[in-house]
């Protein structure tokens, strides 16, 4: 069963050329997908359309057979964990702990589970020492780790990560790799957008290349 | 049509928004609102943009008008249903409030046709201290940044699973604090960075500064300013006679 389906979707930003034209694609729940392509080709736009952040000019988008137009962002967020391209745009709580706990609270966890899960992920990404620090003053890499911890802790069925390795050192990239392998073992799917060829090739079983002429190269590895 | 000097536009906006507060007669307010709308339409790239901008504030205007209508108990009663009392003075104030807001908003749209940089040069030409002008300029530049920050936080909060409509007032308040926090922090951080960048580029290093494009008032600008002075004086005198 397809997890997400884009059906003849067209989209363009105001006063710019069309980003996606009559675009159709399906993603399955257990797939590990890499979306690649040149800067500005529409990778992040495609993701934003899938999540209902952007509305297509024409065509339909379905998430688990539900038309995304009839879903709130919160409903989409409960099914998909989305890691923004820039962590500065995703951090809203003043501390790392609160950032993680917020999503857990709205995923229905009780206070005890929230504390346990949050502490586990803080430890996992080695950010326990900044648990109660003011997140907005952290380094890029630390912010990225807070966001990854917040997204992964919620345990949604599907994840989308836009440039997840940016700002991470090798040790942290390895930790993220381990995490993605665990997700695959748990039969959870994900989409990664990245320019890090080695990282992306190590984790995906399907590659979607967005081309300049608007076509795609979609192949299973 | 967007060729007036920013100082002429500023004069028009000051005159119209002052009249919005001064006028007490509905007919006069309607006339000024029509003038304001006509000038905005003349200067704005398209009429459609103005209408789209106005559409979002219609509920706010209606709430303002309605609260005057319901809570202003002075004047003669024209309708009563249980405790709801509508008076002629309340009705008049309700309509006037909506018209005043319309005048202020449409006249503000006149300023929106001018770029921040051009407005800064014009204010400097009015001999305003450059530090003040620069602060106004930076303030204007911050608005879209604030807007983006709010949008991003709102998205992040919702994608974390929080449905803003479905929770208690306490939870909603916490969510709104979360939405506002990044914008405030980002504004402070940006202000620091801009201050450093400005000083690195010699901001206030010399007592006087020059501009690449100096603003010069032309005949049409003088005519616009004179017309607005005549309109202002006539409206004030007419308003006195009507009240």
């Amino acid at each position: 069963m397809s997890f997400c389906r884009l059906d003849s979707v067209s989209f363009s930003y105001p006063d710019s050329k069309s980003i996606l034209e009559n675009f159709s694609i399906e993603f399955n729940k257990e797939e590990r997908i890499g979306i690649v392509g040149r800067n500005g080709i529409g990778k992040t736009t495609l993701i934003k359309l899938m999540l209902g952040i952007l509305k297509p000019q024409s065509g339909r988008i379905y998430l688990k057979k539900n038309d995304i137009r009839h879903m709130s962002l919160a409903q989409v967020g409960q099914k998909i964990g989305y890691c923004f391209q820039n962590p500065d745009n995703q951090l809203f709580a003043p501390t790392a702990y609160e950032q993680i706990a917020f999503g857990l609270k709205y995923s229905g966890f009780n206070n005890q589970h929230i504390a346990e899960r949050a502490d586990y992920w803080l430890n996992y990404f080695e950010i326990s020492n900044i648990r109660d620090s003011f997140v907005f003053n952290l380094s890029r890499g630390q912010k990225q780790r807070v966001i990854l911890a917040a997204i992964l802790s919620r345990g949604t069925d599907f994840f989308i990560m836009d440039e997840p390795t940016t700002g991470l050192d090798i040790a942290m990239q390895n930790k993220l790799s381990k995490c993605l392998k665990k997700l695959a073992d748990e039969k959870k799917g994900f989409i990664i957008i990245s320019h890090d060829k080695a990282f992306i090739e190590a984790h995906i079983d399907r590659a979607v290349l967005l081309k300049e002429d608007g076509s795609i190269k979609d192949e299973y590895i | 049509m967007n060729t007036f000097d920013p100082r002429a536009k500023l004069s028009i906006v000051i005159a119209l928004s002052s009249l919005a507060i001064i006028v007490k007669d509905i007919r006069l307010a309607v006339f000024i609102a029509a003038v304001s709308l006509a000038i905005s339409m003349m200067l704005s790239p398209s009429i459609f943009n103005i209408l789209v901008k106005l559409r979002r504030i219609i509920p706010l205007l209606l709430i303002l008008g309605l609260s005057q209508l319901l809570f202003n108990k002075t004047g003669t009663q024209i309708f009563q249903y249980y405790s709801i009392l509508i008076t002629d003075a309340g009705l008049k104030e309700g309509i006037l409030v909506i018209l005043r807001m319309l005048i202020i908003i449409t006249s503000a749209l006149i300023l929106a046709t001018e770029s921040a940089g051009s407005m800064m040069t014009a204010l400097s030409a009015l001999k305003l201290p450059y530090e003040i002008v620069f602060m106004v300029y930076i303030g204007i530049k911050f608005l879209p940044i604030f807007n983006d920050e709010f949008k991003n936080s709102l998205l992040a909060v919702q994608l974390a699973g929080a449905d803003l409509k479905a929770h208690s007032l306490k939870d909603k308040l916490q969510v709104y604090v979360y939405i506002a926090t990044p914008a405030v922090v980002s504004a402070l951080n940006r202000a620091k960075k801009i201050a450093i960048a400005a000083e690195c580029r010699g901001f206030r290093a010399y007592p006087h500064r020059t501009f690449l494009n100096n603003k010069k008032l032309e005949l049409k600008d003088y005519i616009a300013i004179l017309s607005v002075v005549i309109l202002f004086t006539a409206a004030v005198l007419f308003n006195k006679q009507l009240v």
Side-chain angles (χ1 to χ4, degrees), chain B:
Chain B
M1 291 299 287
N2 186 19
T3 52
F4 284 110
D5 186 278
R7 283 165 290 179
K9 289 182 185 175
L10 206 55
S11 314
I12 296 169
V13 173
I14 292 169
L16 289 174
S17 48
S18 304
L19 282 175
I21 297 161
I22 293 167
V23 290
K24 301 263 187 273
D25 183 76
I26 291 176
R27 288 164 296 174
L28 195 54
V30 169
F31 172 71
I32 293 160
V35 170
S36 180
L37 191 63
I39 297 172
S40 304
M41 285 175 164
M42 191 177 78
L43 295 174
S44 188
S46 73
I47 294 166
F48 181 73
N49 282 350
I50 293 177
L51 295 174
V52 169
K53 280 173 191 165
L54 283 178
R55 187 196 59 197
R56 291 181 183 175
I57 48 124
I58 288 171
L60 179 71
L61 292 180
L62 291 176
I63 290 168
L64 284 172
L66 210 61
S67 42
Q68 283 293 336
L69 184 68
L70 294 174
F71 300 115
N72 191 331
K73 306 286 184 195
T74 56
T76 317
Q77 174 190 327
I78 51 174
F79 174 78
Q80 182 157 26
Y81 182 72
Y82 293 102
S83 60
I84 299 169
L85 175 67
I86 307 289
T87 65
D88 59 349
L91 184 63
K92 184 184 167 190
E93 276 307 310
I95 296 169
L96 270 177
V97 160
I98 293 174
L99 288 169
R100 278 178 185 140
M101 290 303 291
L102 271 176
I103 296 167
I104 291 169
I105 291 161
T106 50
S107 62
L109 287 175
I110 296 169
L111 285 184
T113 61
E114 203 61 51
S115 74
S118 167
M119 193 56 81
M120 188 168 79
T121 320
L123 290 173
S124 291
L126 286 171
K127 308 288 178 206
L128 275 169
Y130 184 69
E131 288 78 0
I132 307 270
V133 173
F134 188 73
M135 276 197 285
V136 172
Y137 175 67
I138 293 293
I140 295 168
K141 293 273 261 187
F142 260 67
L143 289 176
I145 295 168
F146 256 125
N147 190 25
D148 283 348
E149 292 284 350
F150 276 115
K151 278 185 187 167
N152 285 330
S153 304
L154 192 62
L155 270 180
V157 159
Q158 288 176 286
L159 286 171
D163 190 343
L164 299 180
K165 290 176 189 162
H167 292 286
S168 67
L169 185 65
K170 189 187 156 205
D171 283 349
K172 271 184 191 163
L173 282 175
Q174 192 200 24
V175 167
Y176 286 122
V177 169
Y178 280 156
I179 292 168
T181 306
V184 175
V185 174
S186 162
L188 291 171
N189 285 340
R190 273 174 203 267
K192 276 183 202 165
K193 284 176 190 167
I194 289 170
I196 293 167
E199 294 210 0
C200 286
R201 293 178 64 179
F203 183 72
R204 295 180 73 193
Y206 301 100
H208 301 292
R209 61 159 292 156
T210 53
F211 292 90
L212 179 63
N213 300 310
N214 282 317
K215 294 284 174 191
K216 200 177 170 202
L217 287 169
E218 293 176 20
L219 180 65
K220 63 175 185 256
D221 299 312
Y222 286 112
I223 293 170
I225 294 169
L226 187 66
S227 309
V228 94
V229 169
I230 293 167
L231 172 76
F232 184 81
T233 315
V236 170
L237 292 174
F238 200 51
N239 185 54
K240 268 189 183 174
Q241 280 185 349
L242 291 170
V243 176

Side-chain angles (χ1 to χ4, degrees), chain A residues 108-121:
Chain A
F109 291 94
N110 63 31
N111 287 343
Q112 193 195 333
H113 279 115
I114 290 173
E116 283 170 10
R117 277 192 168 237
D119 284 332
Y120 170 82
W121 286 99

Side-chain angles (χ1 to χ4, degrees), chain A residues 53 73-74 77-78 89-92 94 98 102-103 105-106 134 136 154, chain B residues 152 155-163 167 171 174-175 178 181-182 185:
Chain A
I53 297 171
L73 280 175
Q78 279 158 4
N89 294 340
Q90 197 163 11
L91 288 169
F92 52 80
E98 281 184 66
F102 183 89
K105 179 183 168 186
Y106 286 98
F134 194 54
F136 302 101
R154 291 176 52 222
Chain B
N152 285 330
L155 270 180
V157 159
Q158 288 176 286
L159 286 171
D163 190 343
H167 292 286
D171 283 349
Q174 192 200 24
V175 167
Y178 280 156
T181 306
V185 174

Side-chain angles (χ1 to χ4, degrees), chain A residues 118-134:
Chain A
D119 284 332
Y120 170 82
W121 286 99
L122 285 164
N123 276 326
Y124 186 84
F125 281 110
E126 298 174 21
I127 42 176
S128 297
N129 57 329
I130 52 161
R131 181 187 192 273
D132 299 313
S133 301
F134 194 54

Side-chain angles (χ1 to χ4, degrees), chain A residues 34-174:
Chain A
I35 297 181
V36 289
R38 294 182 64 181
N39 292 131
I41 200 82
K43 302 183 294 292
T44 302
T45 301
L46 171 63
I47 297 303
K48 286 184 174 175
L49 285 162
M50 278 176 63
L51 293 163
I53 297 171
L54 295 174
K55 313 285 177 210
Q57 270 96 39
S58 65
R60 293 273 182 275
I61 298 160
Y62 299 93
L63 189 62
K64 283 188 165 179
K65 288 190 176 174
N66 299 308
D67 190 333
I68 206 149
R69 289 177 305 167
H70 306 308
M71 294 175 78
S72 68
L73 280 175
Q75 285 171 322
V76 175
Q78 279 158 4
K79 291 180 171 55
I80 301 174
Y82 175 45
C83 173
F84 287 25
Q85 192 175 30
N86 182 355
D88 282 321
N89 294 340
Q90 197 163 11
L91 288 169
F92 52 80
T95 67
Y97 179 83
E98 281 184 66
Q99 181 78 32
I100 299 168
F102 183 89
L104 291 171
K105 179 183 168 186
Y106 286 98
S107 298
F109 291 94
N110 63 31
N111 287 343
Q112 193 195 333
H113 279 115
I114 290 173
E116 283 170 10
R117 277 192 168 237
D119 284 332
Y120 170 82
W121 286 99
L122 285 164
N123 276 326
Y124 186 84
F125 281 110
E126 298 174 21
I127 42 176
S128 297
N129 57 329
I130 52 161
R131 181 187 192 273
D132 299 313
S133 301
F134 194 54
V135 286
F136 302 101
N137 291 338
L138 299 177
S139 72
R140 172 75 157 84
Q142 286 173 318
K143 285 177 183 172
Q144 186 74 352
R145 279 142 73 187
V146 172
I147 290 301
L148 287 169
I151 299 301
L152 292 163
S153 66
R154 291 176 52 222
T156 47
D157 286 340
F158 202 86
F159 294 89
I160 297 176
M161 299 182 193
D162 198 344
E163 302 284 0
T165 53
T166 310
L168 297 186
D169 58 28
I170 300 295
M172 282 307 131
Q173 286 188 22
N174 290 338

